[in-house]
Amino acid sequence: MFNLEKFLRIIIGFALSVLIGAALMIFVYALPNARAVENIREALPLYEHEGNYPSWALGEHSKLDNFTDAIILLEIIHPATNLINAAMLNPRFGTTQDAEPVEALIKVLRGDSTGLSEIIYPRYWHGCLVIIKPLLTLMKANHLRMLFAYAIFILFVVALLMCQKILGTPYALALAAAVMILNLVSVSMSFQFATIYLITMTAIIFMLKKNRRLFGNDLYDYFFAAVGILIAFFDFLTYPIFSVVMLLIFWYVLNLRELLKEKISSVLKMMSGFLISWGIGYVGMWSGKWIISQILTGCNTFANAIHQATIYSRIGNDLANVGWQITAFGAIQRNIAVLGHGPIRIFLFVAIIFMLYILIRYRKSLTCRLILPYLFPAALPFVWYAFASGHSHIHAFFTYRNLAATTFALICMSINIYRAEKN
């Protein structure tokens, strides 16, 4: 149960994580980049062909984000004359902050600096550099994509087999449905899409393996906080809510037998505590970058980050000057539209028919006990879209993936209703 003692321990934990994160970033910027530059240059034809936002199939769900991946590669290429400043401000060459970085990457690799200047990007940790830069000293950038694809597939297979063995085939199928909605092809081809998936799937495997210890020793608050910290360190604000929703549902179904002995209010209170733990880790680690960056470099990172967060959370006509008419409802609607595009409709249609059948067939047996532990996590992506309406509307081609967790939660709810009725 979440309490003051755990709160203080988590605060200390994320404070230490901020220091460790800063040390890791300084370390990775201290690594020589000559070999990485050559391996990135070998993949130049790939980025020349694809551009900033290529699609491997029709539809937004198949769109890749070379825009952000190019930023990552430009940061690896950029010379670090001052290690602390480089690690905290993450400089790169480009034209303007929001210009097309793939074009800047091509120019830099060709030795053409025309129209380029140094740009800083300090509001994220850019922790993915800790993994990507060392790997790029060993392989080409296009081969790194393949390595990510192998890792993503292996984790999916391991998680699926463990889920089937521990929870049963229906829950394994629910997990498979969620992963299909994520679209593993796109996830494996964009570095920034992969981070949330890799962290979440690893966390799920860990829960399946160590649930008794985590649950029996009351360690889940710390576990959720640790996952939040990792996501804040590695992610670029892609689909973070997917992670916490998936973990909340797995926590509930893994411990369903014990939790049925608790009042529904106690279960929801525990879930809220885990959500708070995850939020402290996530927000604390993220804002920790703003603070430590400002302390170590003197750059007003905090004000820059708050300004950008305000833009992404604005509702109404605030982004009309760039052509966006954004509302909370519009952001939700747009993400649902991307979710239901293309072949994904087939899986959604089957899932919806199954859920409707269960709800109608067993409507007289429905209780708060059966549905609230699933509906509470399932609603979190919609809260996220309403809060970050600007970001969610503009970047719906990847933020829609949060709804994969909602789908997973609702399918698991249907499974639980069916099993409860049969029992």
Side-chain angles (χ1 to χ4, degrees):
M1 190 70 70
F2 191 80
N3 53 39
L4 180 61
E5 181 182 357
K6 286 185 177 178
F7 173 78
L8 293 175
R9 287 180 177 178
I10 291 171
I11 292 293
I12 294 171
F14 92 71
L16 290 174
S17 298
V18 169
L19 298 178
I20 293 171
L24 285 173
M25 293 307 298
I26 292 171
F27 168 76
V28 79
Y29 270 92
L31 295 176
N33 67 352
R35 184 61 183 165
V37 171
E38 289 305 313
N39 282 330
I40 295 170
R41 185 175 284 114
E42 290 289 331
L44 187 56
L46 176 71
Y47 292 101
E48 289 176 327
H49 171 71
E50 290 184 341
N52 287 282
Y53 293 111
S55 290
W56 58 269
L58 296 177
E60 288 191 271
H61 64 287
S62 66
K63 185 184 289 187
L64 309 180
D65 191 1
N66 284 353
F67 184 102
T68 305
D69 286 1
I71 290 175
I72 295 169
L73 299 178
L74 282 166
E75 289 170 352
I76 292 172
I77 291 171
H78 197 81
T81 54
N82 184 314
L83 284 181
I84 293 178
N85 280 4
M88 293 295 100
L89 301 180
N90 311 106
R92 70 178 191 276
F93 286 122
T95 50
T96 62
Q97 187 72 41
D98 297 317
E100 299 176 334
V102 168
E103 283 67 23
L105 176 65
I106 293 169
K107 292 186 72 172
V108 171
L109 291 175
R110 288 177 173 173
D112 180 7
S113 61
T114 307
L116 299 180
S117 59
E118 187 175 79
I119 301 170
I120 61 172
Y121 197 10
R123 65 177 179 269
Y124 296 108
W125 273 101
H126 304 257
C128 54
L129 295 180
V130 175
I131 305 297
I132 294 174
K133 184 176 179 179
L135 289 175
L136 282 175
T137 63
L138 303 174
M139 65 185 71
K140 302 173 185 178
N142 53 317
H143 291 171
L144 184 57
R145 272 191 183 180
M146 295 176 66
L147 181 64
F148 269 60
Y150 298 151
I152 284 166
F153 178 74
I154 289 169
L155 285 176
F156 173 54
V157 172
V158 171
L160 197 66
L161 292 175
M162 290 182 69
C163 187
Q164 193 278 331
K165 180 180 179 180
I166 296 169
L167 294 173
T169 300
Y171 287 109
L173 290 175
L175 177 61
V179 171
M180 282 187 283
I181 289 171
L182 288 179
N183 192 338
L184 287 193
V185 177
S186 296
V187 170
S188 64
M189 293 175 70
S190 288
F191 300 142
Q192 77 135 339
F193 291 169
T195 53
I196 293 289
Y197 173 89
L198 292 171
I199 294 170
T200 303
M201 206 56 64
T202 302
I204 288 171
I205 292 170
F206 188 84
M207 288 176 72
L208 289 166
K209 183 74 173 177
K210 300 292 184 180
N211 174 66
R212 287 188 179 182
R213 182 179 178 185
L214 291 170
F215 188 82
N217 295 335
D218 196 21
L219 298 174
Y220 264 115
D221 286 296
Y222 306 120
F223 176 76
F224 274 82
V227 173
I229 288 169
L230 287 172
I231 288 176
F233 183 68
F234 286 101
D235 186 44
F236 280 89
L237 196 62
T238 52
Y239 50 106
I241 292 299
F242 168 81
S243 173
V244 69
V245 174
M246 293 294 290
L247 299 186
L248 284 172
I249 297 298
F250 266 99
W251 168 80
Y252 186 70
V253 297
L254 279 169
N255 302 291
L256 185 58
R257 188 169 297 178
E258 289 83 359
L259 292 172
L260 287 176
K261 302 172 186 176
E262 303 283 345
K263 294 180 179 180
I264 183 61
S265 57
S266 297
V267 172
L268 294 177
K269 188 176 181 180
M270 283 187 274
M271 280 187 160
S272 299
F274 298 146
L275 179 61
I276 291 170
S277 297
W278 182 91
I280 292 172
Y282 180 75
V283 176
M285 186 65 176
W286 194 6
S287 59
K289 170 62 186 303
W290 312 343
I291 296 169
I292 196 167
S293 173
Q294 188 155 334
I295 292 172
L296 293 179
T297 67
C299 177
N300 198 1
T301 308
F302 199 90
N304 173 270
I306 294 297
H307 172 71
Q308 192 64 32
T310 303
I311 292 174
Y312 279 155
S313 63
R314 285 177 184 169
I315 299 173
N317 298 324
D318 297 313
L319 297 175
N321 60 326
V322 290
W324 297 97
Q325 301 294 328
I326 295 172
T327 65
F329 179 75
I332 293 171
Q333 189 178 39
R334 177 158 158 72
N335 278 269
I336 292 174
V338 176
L339 172 69
H341 185 84
I344 294 177
R345 293 174 186 170
I346 300 171
F347 304 112
L348 287 177
F349 180 76
V350 173
I352 290 170
I353 292 298
F354 172 68
M355 287 185 284
L356 287 176
Y357 168 77
I358 294 295
L359 293 174
I360 294 172
R361 174 70 175 80
Y362 303 115
R363 61 188 180 279
K364 294 181 180 180
S365 303
L366 297 180
T367 63
C368 292
R369 171 86 250 185
L370 281 174
I371 64 175
L372 285 183
Y374 300 97
L375 291 183
F376 171 57
L380 292 177
F382 298 100
V383 176
W384 178 271
Y385 293 147
F387 175 74
S389 56
H391 181 270
S392 300
H393 194 290
I394 295 170
H395 300 107
F397 73 95
F398 60 75
T399 61
Y400 89 90
R401 290 183 170 87
N402 289 313
L403 294 175
T406 296
T407 306
F408 177 73
L410 295 177
I411 295 174
C412 288
M413 180 186 72
S414 302
I415 294 168
N416 191 29
I417 293 169
Y418 177 80
R419 286 184 168 182
E421 180 66 22
K422 290 299 180 182
N423 291 333

